[in-house]
């Protein structure tokens, strides 16, 4: 149980276009999801906390107008990178708070999305 | 900022135990120690967590010192597939509690 599906696993887009990344909790409801970004040979950096039915909370230094987060249902959160530039190329990872008895286990992570902006 | 410190890397031979250390000298009384690992180009995977008692599951054992200022993750019989970056994280359990990742330790298992 507690599976998080992230789609697409990789995407290449042209500079100036927008890209949407989906994060779904397959077998549980996730009221809270988190979005991370990871550059090569670096650790995961938390970008924002996504709460179902409310606005996302962004970490300091993350542009909310560039990284649009929507959490319209208990099983789906989306991250849209708007007007992408090559410096946005990175590995984007989502995670969901694991409910019930497994809550203490922390979070379940998606498999990540490799974004390359050309 | 991450509240843990780990050596940057270590290696071990396949089939031997891998002991991964972590220092968390400023850990609070209600914070748990969590270990995750990230295999290259994948999302992190939960391994184990504990508060003050030693814990064991099918993946690993977690040894926490009595003063809780450090811990060791033990992979009893390392395989090549255990090559990954291992992250030690302290946090208070809860649905909205953030996971803050430090640099982790890169474990290389050699044949």
């Amino acid at each position: 149980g507690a599976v998080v599906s992230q789609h697409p696993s990789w995407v290449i887009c042209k500079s100036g276009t927008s890209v949407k990344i989906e994060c779904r909790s397959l077998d549980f409801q996730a009221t809270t999801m988190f979005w991370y970004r990871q550059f090569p040979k670096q650790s995961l950096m938390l970008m924002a906390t996504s709460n179902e039915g409310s606005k996302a909370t962004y970490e300091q230094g993350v542009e909310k107008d560039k990284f649009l987060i929507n959490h319209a249902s208990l099983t789906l959160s989306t991250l849209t990178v708007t007007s992408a530039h090559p410096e946005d190329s990175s590995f984007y990872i989502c995670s969901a708070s694991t409910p019930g008895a497994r809550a203490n286990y922390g979070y379940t992570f998606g498999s990540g999305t490799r974004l390359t902006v050309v | 900022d991450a509240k843990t410190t780990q050596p940057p890397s270590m290696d071990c031979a396949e089939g031997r135990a891998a002991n991964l250390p972590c220092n968390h000298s400023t850990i609070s009384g209600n914070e748990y120690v969590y270990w995750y690992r990230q295999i290259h180009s994948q999302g992190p995977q939960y391994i184990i967590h504990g508060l003050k008692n030693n814990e064991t599951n099918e993946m690993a054992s977690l040894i926490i010192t009595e003063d809780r200022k450090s811990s060791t993750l033990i992979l009893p019989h390392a395989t090549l597939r255990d090559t990954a970056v291992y992250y030690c994280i302290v946090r208070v359990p809860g649905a909205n509690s953030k996971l803050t990742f430090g640099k982790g330790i890169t474990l290389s298992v050699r044949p």
Side-chain angles (χ1 to χ4, degrees), chain B residues 47-49 53-63 74 76:
Chain B
I47 300 174
I48 199 167
H49 76 286
N53 297 323
N54 298 335
E55 303 288 340
T56 295
N57 63 19
E58 64 279 4
M59 291 183 68
S61 294
L62 174 60
I63 308 298
I74 301 173

Side-chain angles (χ1 to χ4, degrees), chain A residues 31-32 34 36 38 42-44 46 49 51 59 91 93 97 102-107 109-112 114, chain B residues 32 34 36 38 40-46 49 87 91 93-104:
Chain A
T31 55
T32 304
F34 300 84
Y36 292 82
Q38 185 176 34
Q42 295 187 23
S43 186
L44 286 78
L46 180 65
T49 302
N51 293 298
E59 296 297 303
F91 192 51
I93 308 167
S97 174
R102 293 177 59 85
N104 280 345
Y105 289 20
Y107 302 127
F109 287 81
S111 54
R114 176 77 57 192
Chain B
Y32 284 63
Y34 286 79
Y36 285 78
Q38 185 180 26
H40 183 63
S41 294
Q42 297 183 23
Q45 175 190 24
Y46 165 84
H49 76 286
Y87 297 97
R91 69 182 276 267
N96 296 327
S97 173
K98 299 177 185 179
L99 270 178
T100 301
F101 287 80
K103 296 181 179 181

Side-chain angles (χ1 to χ4, degrees), chain A:
Chain A
V3 177
V4 172
S5 174
Q6 192 170 338
H7 179 81
S9 56
W10 61 271
V11 58
I12 301 173
C13 72
K14 291 184 177 181
S15 187
T17 62
S18 296
V19 174
K20 179 184 286 188
I21 302 170
E22 293 186 348
C23 180
R24 295 181 183 273
S25 56
L26 296 186
D27 50 1
F28 66 99
Q29 293 182 331
T31 55
T32 304
M33 290 186 175
F34 300 84
W35 287 95
Y36 292 82
R37 179 169 55 181
Q38 185 176 34
F39 292 108
K41 298 190 183 300
Q42 295 187 23
S43 186
L44 286 78
M45 184 191 77
L46 180 65
M47 299 175 66
T49 302
S50 168
N51 293 298
E52 186 268 336
S54 64
K55 291 183 178 180
T57 303
Y58 290 82
E59 296 297 303
Q60 190 173 7
V62 178
E63 300 175 59
K64 62 180 181 180
D65 294 330
K66 180 168 184 63
F67 299 99
L68 301 179
I69 293 173
N70 183 283
H71 194 160
S73 79
L74 288 171
T75 59
L76 174 64
S77 175
T78 60
L79 168 68
T80 301
V81 182
T82 63
S83 187
H85 291 284
E87 55 265 33
D88 298 323
S89 298
S90 187
F91 192 51
Y92 292 87
I93 308 167
C94 70
S95 70
S97 174
T98 316
R102 293 177 59 85
N104 280 345
Y105 289 20
Y107 302 127
T108 301
F109 287 81
S111 54
T113 297
R114 176 77 57 192
L115 170 63
T116 302
V117 184
V118 297

Side-chain angles (χ1 to χ4, degrees), chain B residues 6 9 15 22 32 52 55 57-58 81 84 86 89 94 106:
Chain B
Q6 301 174 255
S9 65
C22 180
Y32 284 63
K52 53 183 178 181
E55 303 288 340
N57 63 19
E58 64 279 4
R81 286 179 291 184
Y86 288 76
I89 301 169
T106 300

